[in-house]
Structure formats: C-alpha cells, structure tokens
Amino acid sequence: MTTAQQPAPVPPEPHDQTPQPKSPDQHTVRKQLTSGVFYIAIAKYAGIVISLAVSGVLARLLSPSDFGIVAVATVIITFFSIFSDLGIAPAIIQYKKLTGEELNGIFSFTIWSGLAVSLLFFGSSWLIASYYDSPQLVRICQFLSVNLLFAAMNIVPNALLYKQKRFRFIAMRNLCVQGSVGTIAVIAALSGAGIYALLINPIVSSIVLFIVNLREHPLRIRWTAGLQPLRTIFAFSAYQFSFNVINYFTRNLDKLLIGKYMGMSPLGFYEKSYRLMMLPLQNITNIISPVMHPIFSDFQHDLRKLSESYLKVVRVLAWIGFPLAAVLYFTAPELILLIFGSQWEASVPVFRILALSVGVQVVMSTSGSIFQAAGSTHILFLSGLLSALLNAGGICLGIFGFRSLDAVAWCICISFSVNFVQAYWLMYYRTFRLPWGPFWRKLASPLLLGVLLWSILWGFDRILPARELFFTLIAKGVLSLVIWGGYLQLTGEFNILGRLSALSGKFFKR
C-alpha cells in the first residue's frame, strides 16, 4: 500500500539564488482568484452567447461537409502551433524573475520559429489535401498559415499579461475581439463567402490580439535565434512542450481518423457534437484555469498550501460539473435542434454520450494548471502520456472495431473516466506527496446529486408531453435548477435561502 509522505519542496528557479518569498495568505489568494474569475467569467459567458449566435447562423448557411473540412485544417494547424510554442507561455508565468533582455530574446525566438512553422504548414497544404482527398484544403490551409504566424508572435506578450494578473484587461480584450470578428464572419457568410467565412475568426482574431498585446507590452526583435534565454526556462518548458504534443493527439486523434476513415460528413456531425459538449466545459473551467496558474504559482514552494487551495476549487467545479452532465444528456435534442437546425439531428446521440463525461472533464481540466504551478511538468508529461495511450486505444476501437460514431463517443467517455483517476493519483502521490482521500470526499456529494438529477430527469422525460422544443428545454432547465438548489440547501452545502434573505434585507433597507 502506498503511504503518503511530506510534501517535497520545489527547487528554486535555476537562475534565482535569493531566498524564496513567503507564500501569499489564503485571503489574498481568494481575493485574487475571485477577482480574476469574475472578469474572465464576464467575457466567457458573454462569449457563449456570441459563439452560439454566430455558430447558429453559420450552421444554417454552410453544410456539415464545410465544417468537417475546416475541422481537419484546424486540428492540423493546432499540431503545427505546438512546435512554435514549445511550452514557453506557462514557463514565462512560472519563472518570476526573467529580465527584459531575456524576454526580448524569447520573443524573437517565437517570431522566427513561428515564421518557419507557418511556411512549413503553407508548403504542406498540398500533401494534407491529397491525404484527405479534398482539394479545398489547399487554399484553406494556406490562409490559416497566417493565423499560425501571429499566434506564435503573440505567445510572449500574452503570457506577460497573465503573469501580471491583468485579468480585467484580458477579459475585455477577448470579448471585444470575439464580438467584432464574429459579426464580420456572419456578414461574410451572408454575402456568399461560403466556407471561407469560417476562417475569418481564427485569422483576424490572431492579428488583432497580437497588435493589442504588443501595445501593452512592447518587445524588441533580436536578429538572433534567441536560444540563450531559452536555457533559463528549458527544464520547465521541455516537459510542457512534450505534454502539449501528447495532449494534441489525445484531443484530436478522433477527428483526424474519423475524417480519414468515416468521411467528412460524419466528422461534421461528430465535431459539432464535440464542440457543443466542450462549450459549457470551456466556459466553466476556462474562466478558472487561466487564473489558477498565475496565482497558484506563488505557492510553488509550499505544496501543502497549494493542495488546500486547490481543493476549494475542486469543490466548486464538482457542484457544477456532475449535475450539468445530467442536464446536458437530457436536453441534447433541444440544444442540437434549436441551435443548429434539423439537419444536425444525427449529432444528438453522440452529444448525449459525450455529455456523460462533462463532470470528470470539468474537474480534470484544471489539473494541468496545478502541475504547472507546482513546477511539476515532468509529472504532467507522464500523466499526458498515459492519457494518450488510453484515448488512442479507445478511439481506434470505436472506429475500426465497432465502426460507429456512437462507439467512438462511448470509448472516449470511458477513457476520460480512467484518466481522471490516474491524473489525480499522480498529482497527490507524486507531486503533492499527500493522501488523496480529501479529494475524493469533495466529489462524493456532487456525484450523488448528479445521479439523483439524472434519475429525476429520466422520469420527467418519459411523462413530458411532446411539445415545442423551446418549451421542453425551459421545463427541464427549471426543474434541474430547483433540484440543484434544493439539494444544496437541504444538505447544508450552501445556504441559498439565507443568502437571498440577506440580499433582500439590504435591498429594502436602501
């Protein structure tokens, strides 16, 4: 039986021989985390509305095959971008005392590497189109090489904004860019741009973000490769880069193989289901994860305090994620058909299956920030390697063994659950060197609520009369909120009535 050991101290940054600063207290961390999450949440949740509106319009103007082609190009360009990133962004956040000259050198490296990778991607467009037997991919990939270049150039100035915890500026910047570029994409689609309307968001957004970020953090280009400053952060960034490569395959192998062996239309249905499943996931955890690493990296020399702080985040995410999985499962027809239209009905079964994994994904998606904050990217790499092996096996089994989209979704859902266990075993026993019992206790009651909600919605779905989709969606949503709120109140997890009473008292006093 594995026994817990005392947390091992994280070695100091290689270039930093001064005494380590005292970790911030819990009140400071809570204040920073709350403030950061608040501003990021404003942008993210407003972004949901914008994204759904834009996606809904484009889904009615373009075919599933169009979405499938762009999905393939996006998956491949994501892989190329890893080789210009090299784990640099989180390393800049983690290393607190990089000099201005070192930052200029790293910035120069990202420019030259981004230029080289974007040219390579441009030149590979004919091979990619030939592999997928889709001539349209030639022009699509060539246009997207512009996105690849500016995304690489944006690595350092964007990381500096996060390092300085300028979450309010980041949130407002993202919201403004998303809204304006989304509007341009819709106008282009209505004007007959066709599949090229889907390229406006990634290309224009990357250019605008770079201009805005560089204005906030002016950096100078050096006419050298910039390799010398990279040695300062290499120990951290090398494992982060290796994890990014593995994580890419973990997240995109399904799309690559479905597009090749099942066709572009099935990929379009699958990609739409997967993207819709990821939308609430991204807009829950992506308001927390970007804030976690800059704040929790202050605890990199006090892993026990890091663990205690993280458990509070886990508790909140579990209360959201596990009930949400049940709600998404039973509202799948309404969400798919209302947002995207009847032509996407084949996406409903796949979305339902994938929705079952939302609970574990909501919690697990924050684990990378904790490995980073602890300076434990070597363990992050190991966890990513195990995840890749499990996911690849499951995806291949679904595609080549069962030969159906539903089977692929089930295999992915199962592999996510297994990876959840291994990731947190490694975190607690290899990074924190603490027992993981407190972690599982935080999940018990939210998981029970998820099962309860699933059972009630199953019965409600059987007796609910067949009416307009919008009516059934509202009915299921209201019922879910009542059950969720009632459970929190009755178990004493959160005194909702007390809070409402206090707020009303303050209101009437005014």
Side-chain angles (χ1 to χ4, degrees):
M1 181 180 294
T2 305
T3 57
Q5 303 174 24
Q6 292 300 313
V10 180
E13 298 171 5
H15 62 292
D16 181 14
Q17 303 300 324
T18 60
Q20 299 305 320
K22 184 180 179 181
S23 300
D25 57 52
Q26 292 292 338
H27 174 72
T28 302
V29 171
R30 188 183 302 111
K31 184 178 179 180
Q32 290 179 334
L33 195 60
T34 302
S35 176
V37 168
F38 172 76
Y39 288 117
I40 298 297
I42 291 175
K44 282 293 180 181
Y45 293 140
I48 290 180
V49 178
I50 296 172
S51 178
L52 288 176
V54 172
S55 184
V57 173
L58 295 179
R60 285 168 168 78
L61 296 173
L62 304 174
S63 69
S65 178
D66 289 335
F67 282 90
I69 291 171
V70 174
V72 168
T74 303
V75 167
I76 297 173
I77 199 174
T78 302
F79 175 72
F80 275 78
S81 68
I82 295 172
F83 292 91
S84 56
D85 185 304
L86 297 177
I88 290 171
I92 289 175
I93 295 172
Q94 187 74 7
Y95 283 73
K96 304 299 183 183
K97 296 185 178 181
L98 290 171
T99 66
E101 191 61 29
E102 287 174 323
L103 290 171
N104 285 331
I106 296 172
F107 175 63
S108 302
F109 173 81
T110 60
I111 291 177
W112 305 129
S113 62
L115 180 61
V117 172
S118 61
L119 289 174
L120 179 62
F121 181 70
F122 185 96
S124 302
S125 58
W126 289 276
L127 291 175
I128 296 169
S130 175
Y131 180 77
Y132 284 97
D133 193 23
S134 177
Q136 276 186 298
L137 273 172
V138 174
R139 189 69 62 83
I140 297 296
C141 291
Q142 290 175 352
F143 276 124
L144 285 174
S145 64
V146 177
N147 164 261
L148 193 58
L149 173 61
F150 279 93
M153 295 167 65
N154 193 37
I155 291 170
V156 177
N158 192 59
L160 289 174
L161 289 172
Y162 279 98
K163 186 174 186 176
Q164 294 178 350
K165 304 182 180 71
R166 296 184 59 188
F167 302 120
R168 179 179 180 179
F169 174 82
I170 293 169
M172 296 304 103
R173 176 204 66 183
N174 291 349
L175 182 58
C176 291
V177 171
Q178 187 176 11
S180 57
V181 175
T183 302
I184 295 172
V186 170
I187 293 173
L190 291 172
S191 302
I195 192 173
Y196 296 103
L198 297 174
L199 306 184
I200 291 175
N201 185 43
I203 295 174
V204 178
S205 293
S206 64
I207 296 173
V208 174
L209 287 173
F210 172 72
I211 294 172
V212 172
N213 291 343
L214 193 64
R215 182 177 180 275
E216 293 297 313
H217 280 287
L219 294 162
R220 297 181 179 180
I221 301 176
R222 298 287 181 258
W223 300 104
T224 59
L227 296 178
Q228 181 63 34
L230 285 179
R231 295 191 178 98
T232 304
I233 61 174
F234 180 78
F236 184 97
S237 63
Y239 281 112
Q240 180 69 51
F241 164 70
S242 301
F243 168 77
N244 290 345
V245 173
I246 293 173
N247 191 54
Y248 164 83
F249 286 107
T250 301
R251 287 292 185 181
N252 295 296
L253 183 63
D254 50 351
K255 302 178 188 68
L256 290 170
L257 293 181
I258 289 172
K260 173 63 177 177
Y261 295 102
M262 301 183 74
M264 290 300 179
S265 289
L267 175 59
F269 289 121
Y270 177 85
E271 193 269 344
K272 189 62 67 179
S273 302
Y274 194 93
R275 187 178 292 272
L276 184 60
M277 180 271 295
M278 291 295 292
L279 190 61
L281 178 68
Q282 291 170 341
N283 286 280
I284 292 171
T285 58
N286 279 11
I287 68 172
I288 299 177
S289 294
V291 178
M292 285 174 57
H293 183 202
I295 293 175
F296 286 160
S297 61
D298 293 337
F299 291 127
Q300 59 186 284
H301 306 289
D302 190 346
L303 297 184
R304 183 179 293 277
K305 188 173 289 187
L306 175 59
S307 172
E308 293 171 355
S309 299
Y310 181 51
L311 281 179
K312 296 175 182 177
V313 176
V314 168
R315 176 177 177 270
V316 173
L317 293 177
W319 281 115
I320 298 172
F322 289 111
L324 181 61
V327 174
L328 291 177
Y329 181 89
F330 286 102
T331 58
E334 291 87 349
L335 291 172
I336 292 288
L337 299 178
L338 283 174
I339 296 173
F340 303 121
S342 58
Q343 65 171 325
W344 295 91
E345 189 172 4
S347 296
V348 173
V350 178
F351 176 72
R352 271 190 153 157
I353 298 168
L354 292 174
L356 295 175
S357 68
V358 165
V360 295
Q361 288 200 77
V362 163
V363 177
M364 188 168 62
S365 60
T366 61
S367 62
S369 297
I370 299 302
F371 283 120
Q372 291 170 345
S376 192
T377 50
H378 60 295
I379 302 298
L380 176 63
F381 165 71
L382 176 59
S383 177
L385 180 60
L386 295 174
S387 295
L389 294 174
L390 285 168
N391 283 353
I395 291 166
C396 290
L397 179 63
I399 294 175
F400 302 114
F402 295 100
R403 299 180 182 276
S404 75
L405 291 179
D406 288 7
V408 175
W410 275 116
C411 290
I412 289 176
C413 190
I414 293 170
S415 68
F416 280 152
S417 300
V418 177
N419 285 327
F420 182 82
V421 177
Q422 63 87 4
Y424 283 102
W425 187 90
L426 287 171
M427 178 181 292
Y428 276 85
Y429 286 98
R430 289 294 177 262
T431 296
F432 294 153
R433 299 191 181 277
L434 293 168
W436 64 349
F439 170 78
W440 291 106
R441 285 193 288 272
K442 292 291 183 183
L443 302 182
S445 192
L447 184 58
L448 179 61
L449 172 58
V451 174
L452 175 65
L453 192 56
W454 197 95
S455 303
I456 293 174
L457 286 175
W458 181 85
F460 187 68
D461 212 29
R462 298 296 183 274
I463 63 174
L464 189 68
R467 294 189 180 182
E468 292 292 329
L469 292 174
F470 183 76
F471 170 79
T472 58
L473 178 63
I474 295 298
K476 292 175 184 178
V478 171
L479 177 63
S480 300
L481 283 174
V482 170
I483 296 170
W484 181 75
Y487 186 93
L488 290 176
Q489 183 70 41
L490 292 175
T491 58
E493 290 288 345
F494 190 81
N495 187 6
I496 298 176
L497 295 178
R499 291 293 179 92
L500 290 176
S501 177
L503 288 174
S504 63
K506 291 180 179 179
F507 176 79
F508 286 114
K509 282 182 180 180
R510 294 179 181 178

